[in-house]
Amino acid sequence: FASYYGDHMVLQKKPSGAVVWGYGELGAVVTVTVSGAGGLIIMEKTAQVKGPSGTWTAVLDPMDQGGPYALAAEQGLENVTLRDIYFGDVWLCSGQSNMAMTVLQVANASQELAMASRYPYVRIFAAAPARSDVELEDLERIDLPWSIPTAENLGHGNFTYFSAVCWLLGRSLYEALGSPIGLMEVAWGGTPIEAWSSRRVLQECGLPEDTGRHIWVGKGGEEGPQSSLWRGACFNLKPAYTSPHQHLSGPQTPSVLWNAMIHPLLNMTLQGVAWYQGEANTLLHTDQYNCTFPALIADWRRAFHAGSAGQTEPLLPFGFVQLSTYRRQTADDSFARLRWHQTADLGVVPNARMPSTFMAVAMDLGDEHSPYGSIHPRDKQNVARRLLLGARAVAYGDKDLVFQGPYPTRAILEVTRGLLNVTYSQELVCRQRDAQAFEVCCSSQASPCRWLLAPVVAVGSRTVTLALSGCRTLVLGLRYAWAEWPCEYLACPLYNPQGLPAPPFL
């Protein structure tokens, strides 16, 4: 079998068929069996080993959720058997250090770790960080083989395994659905989207496909991935040629993580993807993210669909976390621009450019006193709760679920009264009436824009009325929460009654 198959794993249940593959002697026939209780064979498949890679692939018949089963591959006298296999839903979790943060590092960590044993049917796997200049067939290394969750493997060490966002989402999915859940963590701190992108994505967005090799230097002068600090705490490392506060600690070279960490997994049948990345792109190609992110989603979908012989859905559900916060009172708007670009400049998902996606807004979850740096907030429970709502609505078709916050549908200017009335898509709950969150572009020309605060003078059930007292010329634009740290903890100005924040917009 390929390196990422193993005992205790979860394979995708019906309506899709799980794909299994491995290595063998060229031309040989491999027999794959699934056995139930007492060794009773309930499924048998044959596959031929093909060149030049010497691999075989078998698509299993769609299986109901449940287990345990044994999965065996036999070639001549050789036999490999994997045990305690369950069929359920498989989710891939990827991104940079906020995805790599372990359960050990989050709020209420001891309580979360103590609860691990309650979830024996949520199985976890973590790939080791690796990079490659060419697309690999199989993973080079594995940090955590398929395992039943324990306090030890959910909190192995800072920024190692297992991902808190991934675990909390998977645990919540299990509670909501009752189906076994398989979680695959594939993350590396301080990495830009370009490293996770195939050459196809880079070409589509007009980005260079090879920026050359970079050497990264730790505080103590250690170089590269051998450094003990390399694994992910991006505030601990600085590029050798930039200022100390910048948080690019992992490899930047285009496609190296796609090649080594995503491409090897393409045969896997998946239910969905969870993604938490973007901080690194506040420093690199920020304004190309409105191309690279939708292009990466579309490219991963095509690649997983093809790699799994059509078993992974063409519109593989793709959830992501919108950027949280980093610094207070900074004039830099790169975080605000990146949040906007995460929605393909449309403000809300799913949308025409990003179908079958869902987003967890996180700008109200800032954590100034996080021991891992303010860029790593510890409240991953609310992140996971918001992702769960999106997953249930988008990936599992729960049409009655409210899974996103209120979004403006129109704005009407009352010139004589100096007011702007903004209508929202949902009922509003105002938590911070005096927050300086709305701004208007008050200029005679659109660029450069002169942005002025627009105080809130009234909040109705679905409307916000803003005062334009400082604006004596044309109002050419409106924006909300356009700052790196736009609001206090769980106290943005606008939410819906379900407690979901209104996302930022421009």
Side-chain angles (χ1 to χ4, degrees):
F1 288 101
S3 67
Y4 54 87
Y5 293 93
D7 294 339
H8 314 302
M9 77 180 304
V10 172
L11 292 171
Q12 185 59 40
K13 65 177 175 65
K14 72 176 190 181
S16 300
V19 177
V20 293
W21 71 277
Y23 297 94
E25 293 178 15
L26 272 181
V29 173
V30 175
T31 301
V32 178
T33 57
V34 177
S35 305
L40 179 67
I41 294 177
I42 58 176
M43 187 192 312
E44 182 174 294
K45 299 284 177 178
T46 57
Q48 188 165 23
V49 180
K50 298 176 180 177
S53 56
T55 59
W56 55 268
T57 302
V59 180
L60 303 183
D61 297 334
M63 292 281 291
D64 287 323
Q65 68 185 48
Y69 295 99
L71 176 67
E74 187 176 340
Q75 175 197 285
L77 298 175
E78 289 186 74
N79 180 303
V80 178
T81 301
L82 308 179
R83 304 189 186 281
D84 192 38
I85 307 297
Y86 279 77
F87 286 85
D89 283 335
V90 181
W91 282 79
L92 178 69
C93 301
S94 188
Q96 55 179 112
S97 55
N98 269 303
M99 181 60 83
M101 277 182 79
T102 66
V103 182
L104 180 73
Q105 296 176 270
V106 301
N108 300 322
S110 56
Q111 180 183 345
E112 295 290 356
L113 293 172
M115 289 167 55
S117 60
R118 298 187 196 174
Y119 299 95
Y121 303 113
V122 181
R123 304 294 173 83
I124 56 178
F125 170 94
R131 52 186 167 175
S132 172
D133 293 330
V134 296
E135 292 179 340
L136 300 183
E137 288 285 327
D138 202 358
L139 294 175
E140 284 187 345
R141 289 188 304 114
I142 290 164
D143 269 347
L144 180 68
W146 282 103
S147 302
I148 296 170
T150 65
E152 167 64 21
N153 59 30
L154 287 178
H156 184 73
N158 292 347
F159 299 102
T160 55
Y161 54 85
F162 189 76
S163 164
V165 169
C166 194
W167 166 252
L168 293 168
L169 172 62
R171 189 194 78 189
S172 301
L173 283 169
Y174 173 75
E175 289 173 338
L177 305 170
S179 171
I181 301 289
L183 301 172
M184 304 183 75
E185 178 192 342
V186 186
W188 193 333
T191 51
I193 196 170
E194 292 77 10
W196 296 99
S197 301
S198 74
R199 293 192 166 209
R200 296 179 296 272
V201 171
L202 302 167
Q203 288 170 349
E204 183 179 332
C205 296
L207 290 172
E209 294 172 50
D210 184 13
T211 59
R213 297 181 178 277
H214 299 293
I215 298 294
W216 298 93
V217 182
K219 283 182 175 177
E222 315 96 321
E223 283 188 3
Q226 295 79 17
S227 159
S228 61
L229 296 175
W230 179 264
R231 266 309 309 272
C234 45
F235 55 89
N236 271 342
L237 291 182
K238 63 179 188 292
Y241 52 87
T242 62
S243 62
H245 78 271
Q246 296 192 331
H247 43 270
L248 284 168
S249 62
Q252 290 180 67
T253 309
S255 302
V256 292
L257 304 184
W258 159 266
N259 291 340
M261 300 179 75
I262 301 299
H263 189 268
L265 305 177
L266 294 182
N267 289 355
M268 198 78 174
T269 309
L270 298 180
Q271 171 67 27
V273 175
W275 173 261
Y276 195 158
Q277 189 278 334
E279 296 89 347
N281 285 98
T282 64
L283 303 168
L284 180 71
H285 298 146
T286 304
D287 291 322
Q288 281 75 46
Y289 207 89
N290 62 2
C291 179
T292 48
F293 189 38
L296 175 139
I297 294 171
D299 186 65
W300 281 26
R301 284 171 169 166
R302 286 190 297 266
F304 275 99
H305 180 66
S308 65
Q311 296 304 306
T312 295
E313 287 292 319
L315 280 178
L316 172 67
F318 198 108
F320 64 95
V321 184
Q322 196 176 45
L323 285 194
S324 186
T325 54
Y326 180 29
R327 300 164 298 187
R328 289 182 181 274
Q329 276 98 39
T330 176
D332 186 353
D333 74 341
S334 59
F335 264 63
R337 298 201 321 273
L338 202 287
R339 291 187 193 111
W340 183 240
H341 296 330
Q342 284 179 296
T343 68
D345 296 358
L346 293 166
V348 67
V349 299
N351 59 49
R353 288 189 62 200
M354 299 171 66
S356 199
T357 61
F358 53 97
M359 174 175 76
V361 175
M363 65 181 180
D364 63 335
L365 303 178
D367 185 358
E368 196 169 20
H369 304 294
S370 170
Y372 314 105
S374 60
I375 202 166
H376 298 120
R378 288 166 289 180
D379 181 356
K380 295 296 192 274
Q381 286 87 349
N382 268 306
V383 169
R385 185 179 74 84
R386 294 169 185 179
L387 280 176
L388 171 70
L389 292 173
R392 288 177 61 189
V394 172
Y396 295 97
D398 190 336
K399 304 296 183 196
D400 299 322
L401 204 62
V402 175
F403 67 98
Q404 53 194 347
Y407 198 71
T409 56
R410 65 177 179 168
I412 298 176
L413 194 61
E414 292 186 53
V415 179
T416 54
R417 299 177 64 199
L419 299 175
L420 182 64
N421 293 303
V422 184
T423 302
Y424 274 81
S425 60
Q426 299 174 24
E427 187 180 339
L428 298 174
V429 174
C430 183
R431 293 189 185 176
Q432 281 285 88
R433 179 74 172 270
D434 58 350
Q436 300 177 337
F438 287 95
E439 297 168 284
V440 289
C441 171
C442 179
S443 304
S444 55
Q445 56 189 34
S447 181
C449 206
R450 191 166 67 99
W451 290 98
L452 295 179
L453 289 172
V456 175
V457 295
V459 179
S461 68
R462 289 190 177 216
T463 60
V464 176
T465 302
L466 308 175
L468 306 176
S469 52
C471 190
R472 300 279 180 245
T473 56
L474 293 172
V475 175
L476 298 180
L478 172 67
R479 67 188 189 186
Y480 170 74
W482 201 263
E484 192 162 302
W485 198 302
C487 45
E488 294 309 306
Y489 182 68
L490 294 178
C492 279
L494 300 177
Y495 291 78
N496 63 14
Q498 290 79 17
L500 296 172
F505 69 81
L506 172 64

